[in-house]
Amino acid sequence: MKCVILCAGYGTRLYPLTKFIPKSLLPINGEPILNKIVRKVEEINEIDEIFVTTSEESYPQFEEWHKAYHSLFKKKIKLFKNTYFFKKKKLGGIDAIDKIMKKYKIKDDFLVIGGDNLFDFKLTQAYNFFKKVKSPTIILHKLKDKKKASSFGVVTLKNNIVVEFEEKPKHPKSDIISTAIYFFPRKHLDLIEHYNKSPHKGDSFGNFLRYLHEIQDVYGFVAKGIFIDIGNLDDYKKASKLEI
């Protein structure tokens, strides 16, 4: 099994912190956010390789990160520079995953994680669920305050199957949000290439799964514990106070 951690975003909502430091490399309690994500990934024994996507601009900083920390981790880590452009617009997560699959001839199940996620729940619980359903699976989080769901991708479930996606709705129908953590089975890898070649809206893996659930079952696993999407300065300050 492979893992892709998406770290190529520019994090403009965290300016000025991210003007010179990639969001995934910002420190939380003395270490980069990315370190904490890698350690969570390492809970899954079946994962033998981790790919970290970067922008062309931030690649040198991730190289320094890799030199400084790779020996601390059990899994092999490779950096993947997302240098592909279309009409002067940088292509995003789904394109990077497609290129990684082709370059390294990946035929495995894989896990995709946004590089700005901070959480304390065990990924092994979600992985066991994924192995049981053998279908694309989104890791979800239940909010205490439904009103805050309007800042996230909101999911409605029925029998653990996603029946509706809402992207940052003004009036959320659910208090369950996507965490930008996804498990994807090897048997559906061709759908990523097909989607990447077809006209579509949005290039994130979340957009791909919204498309996918219209043609087949996509499952949701509601993880219990702390989850923070570090999208702005307030989120970063909140995350910095947590012992995760």
Side-chain angles (χ1 to χ4, degrees), residues 192-229:
I192 292 178
E193 182 178 5
H194 180 266
Y195 174 82
N196 202 37
K197 290 180 178 178
S198 64
H200 58 80
K201 296 181 180 180
D203 186 52
S204 73
F205 206 79
N207 285 325
F208 168 66
L209 285 175
R210 279 190 285 276
Y211 150 83
L212 189 62
H213 103 282
E214 296 177 357
I215 59 176
Q216 71 156 72
D217 287 342
V218 173
Y219 283 77
F221 178 85
V222 182
K224 296 181 180 179
I226 296 171
F227 166 76
I228 298 179
D229 172 13

Side-chain angles (χ1 to χ4, degrees), residues 66-124:
H66 190 266
K67 290 176 183 178
Y69 294 106
H70 80 277
S71 63
L72 301 180
F73 304 121
K74 298 176 290 184
K75 310 292 185 181
K76 183 188 297 183
I77 299 174
K78 290 182 179 178
L79 302 180
F80 183 82
K81 188 192 305 182
N82 191 5
T83 58
Y84 302 92
F85 290 81
F86 178 69
K87 293 183 180 179
K88 297 183 179 180
K89 181 179 179 181
K90 184 178 72 66
L91 299 177
I94 198 71
D95 182 77
I97 291 167
D98 187 32
K99 296 297 190 298
I100 289 170
M101 285 169 43
K102 290 175 180 175
K103 180 177 180 178
Y104 297 99
K105 300 179 181 180
I106 292 175
K107 301 295 182 182
D108 296 345
D109 297 342
F110 65 88
L111 166 66
V112 178
I113 299 185
D116 54 0
N117 284 342
L118 192 65
F119 55 95
D120 70 346
F121 48 80
K122 296 287 186 181
L123 285 178
T124 48

Side-chain angles (χ1 to χ4, degrees), residues 45-167:
N45 293 329
E46 288 84 348
I47 291 176
D48 59 5
E49 200 165 24
I50 299 171
F51 296 90
V52 176
T53 70
T54 82
S55 67
E56 189 166 16
E57 296 89 341
S58 65
Y59 186 79
Q61 290 169 282
F62 280 95
E63 280 190 308
E64 290 300 316
W65 169 84
H66 190 266
K67 290 176 183 178
Y69 294 106
H70 80 277
S71 63
L72 301 180
F73 304 121
K74 298 176 290 184
K75 310 292 185 181
K76 183 188 297 183
I77 299 174
K78 290 182 179 178
L79 302 180
F80 183 82
K81 188 192 305 182
N82 191 5
T83 58
Y84 302 92
F85 290 81
F86 178 69
K87 293 183 180 179
K88 297 183 179 180
K89 181 179 179 181
K90 184 178 72 66
L91 299 177
I94 198 71
D95 182 77
I97 291 167
D98 187 32
K99 296 297 190 298
I100 289 170
M101 285 169 43
K102 290 175 180 175
K103 180 177 180 178
Y104 297 99
K105 300 179 181 180
I106 292 175
K107 301 295 182 182
D108 296 345
D109 297 342
F110 65 88
L111 166 66
V112 178
I113 299 185
D116 54 0
N117 284 342
L118 192 65
F119 55 95
D120 70 346
F121 48 80
K122 296 287 186 181
L123 285 178
T124 48
Q125 296 173 349
Y127 177 58
N128 289 336
F129 176 86
F130 166 70
K131 287 193 296 182
K132 182 179 179 180
V133 300
K134 299 178 181 178
S135 294
T137 301
I138 308 174
I139 312 309
L140 306 170
H141 176 68
K142 184 178 177 64
L143 294 173
K144 294 180 180 179
D145 185 354
K146 185 177 178 181
K147 294 179 181 179
K148 293 182 179 180
S150 60
S151 299
F152 299 91
V154 178
V155 174
T156 301
L157 294 176
K158 184 176 181 180
N159 298 323
N160 295 320
I161 296 175
V162 175
V163 295
E164 187 175 359
F165 284 96
E166 298 178 282
E167 184 61 33

